[in-house]
Amino acid sequence: MFREKKPKVGLVLGSGAARGLAHIGVIKVLERNNIPIDFIAGSSIGAMIGGLYSVTKDISYVEEIALNTNWKEMMRMIDPAFGDGFISGDKVKDFIKKSLKHSSFEDLKIPFSAVATDIVEGKPVVFREGDLAGAIRASIGMPFVFHTLKQDGKVFCDGALSMPIPVSVAREMGAEYIIAVDLDSDYFRQERKNINTNMIELGHDLTMLISTHLAKEEMVGAEVVVVPKVSDVRWNAFFSRERTAEIIARGEKAMEEMLPKLFEKKKEETPMEKIKEFFSTKIC
């Protein structure tokens, strides 16, 4: 007898700077509940978390990096430079390469794609091969903060500027059921007083403004959209271990709340045990 074949699951991790620490919590819940991840597509911080997880398939490794990278280490990654951003990003790339254990796309345990933006042609560019650390560095290039990356006639900037939640990329990879994590949708709904217009904050908010609107189009293609409550998180949350742990916990909470809704279109009010059974079935 043939059982129902489990779908190929794609996890799409959206952009969002420090709010992206919530991605770690989302993946922790999926791991705990034995929900397999067959493909990962990420943009900006989503590319960073997705790439790190794809190397080991062990979210505790990624969480350890996030919790144990203190403010002194963060400061050492700042390499001031003149140009189209005040950080060259070379030290950040070195940190990424070390954290990735010098892996390449070909070494990954989960197929992974990172999205950056080519501001010459004004369109997203998907990285699936070549220099993994370089692809992630291109994807996280927040305007006015990081130097743009110039390569093969292209000028790369933050993936959030063109495809903040790359659902269509995961679908192209072969995903049949997509769980997308949206970090942007409630950002501008919060009460925002005394808006700071320094270069970092302005670059952050302009990126957010663009990505919030672009994300709506991509999210339509996802079966499940997880929305952690992180609208109050600012870029400097990376500097605090306590704040990092709190944001990760918010991601866990959001995913836990969504678990009963997985596959509800296929099976009404499906209990968690049935969901786990569904994912574990194979063709006999």
Side-chain angles (χ1 to χ4, degrees):
M1 177 181 288
F2 286 86
R3 294 182 182 177
E4 186 175 8
K5 181 184 178 182
K6 77 176 183 67
K8 294 290 186 180
V9 177
L11 178 63
V12 177
L13 304 178
S15 60
R19 296 188 306 283
L21 293 165
H23 291 320
I24 297 173
V26 169
I27 298 172
K28 285 176 68 176
V29 172
L30 294 175
E31 271 197 0
R32 274 202 304 267
N33 289 277
N34 299 313
I35 308 291
I37 301 170
D38 298 292
F39 307 97
I40 299 178
S43 183
S44 196
I45 186 64
M48 171 80 89
I49 302 299
L52 288 170
Y53 182 63
S54 297
V55 169
T56 61
K57 212 172 179 180
D58 178 8
I59 196 59
S60 63
Y61 171 72
V62 184
E63 184 175 31
E64 183 180 350
I65 292 173
L67 292 172
N68 294 323
T69 302
N70 58 41
W71 68 270
K72 289 183 179 178
E73 289 177 284
M74 295 291 290
M75 292 302 292
R76 281 198 291 268
M77 281 187 268
I78 296 177
D79 44 358
F82 295 103
D84 48 20
F86 68 84
I87 298 174
S88 78
D90 292 339
K91 290 185 178 180
V92 171
K93 182 179 177 180
D94 290 340
F95 171 78
I96 295 170
K97 187 177 294 186
K98 179 181 176 182
S99 300
L100 291 170
K101 302 180 178 180
H102 300 274
S103 299
S104 66
F105 275 93
E106 292 69 33
D107 299 324
L108 299 178
K109 294 186 177 181
I110 302 173
F112 166 69
S113 294
V115 177
T117 300
D118 174 15
I119 60 174
V120 173
E121 296 188 12
K123 65 181 183 181
V125 175
V126 180
F127 293 89
R128 294 195 180 105
E129 58 185 22
D131 180 7
L132 178 59
I136 294 172
R137 162 62 185 88
S139 186
I140 65 172
M142 184 184 294
F144 309 136
V145 178
F146 288 100
H147 274 198
T148 55
L149 288 181
K150 299 175 177 64
Q151 181 180 315
D152 300 327
K154 300 181 186 297
V155 181
F156 295 117
C157 204
D158 202 305
L161 297 174
S162 58
M163 193 177 284
I165 305 180
V167 170
S168 59
V169 172
R171 194 72 74 187
E172 289 170 6
M173 294 173 74
E176 299 164 324
Y177 189 94
I178 292 177
I179 301 170
V181 185
D182 167 27
L183 305 173
D184 294 347
S185 63
D186 65 343
Y187 183 77
F188 289 102
R189 296 175 192 165
Q190 64 174 313
E191 185 177 358
R192 305 169 72 236
K193 297 179 180 179
N194 302 318
I195 297 175
N196 194 332
T197 54
N198 65 50
M199 186 177 289
I200 295 178
E201 296 288 348
L202 181 60
H204 175 269
D205 279 1
L206 288 176
T207 303
M208 282 297 308
L209 182 62
I210 295 168
S211 65
T212 298
H213 291 284
L214 290 174
K216 294 176 182 177
E217 297 180 18
E218 284 283 310
M219 283 191 295
V220 172
E223 276 69 31
V224 171
V225 178
V226 183
V227 186
K229 300 300 181 184
V230 289
S231 62
D232 62 319
V233 176
R234 303 304 293 174
W235 66 271
N236 57 2
F238 287 118
F239 290 83
S240 167
R241 179 185 174 93
E242 291 73 22
R243 188 67 161 150
T244 293
E246 177 192 343
I247 299 165
I248 291 172
R250 293 191 196 183
E252 287 188 71
K253 184 174 187 293
M255 189 66 244
E256 288 281 5
E257 291 174 349
M258 288 301 296
L259 282 176
K261 297 184 179 181
L262 290 178
F263 290 89
E264 67 177 3
K265 293 180 181 179
K266 284 180 172 285
K267 303 178 181 181
E268 272 190 25
E269 299 178 5
T270 307
M272 197 60 232
E273 291 74 18
K274 291 291 185 182
I275 293 173
K276 293 178 183 177
E277 180 183 350
F278 181 81
F279 273 113
S280 63
T281 56
K282 296 180 180 178
I283 297 178
C284 299

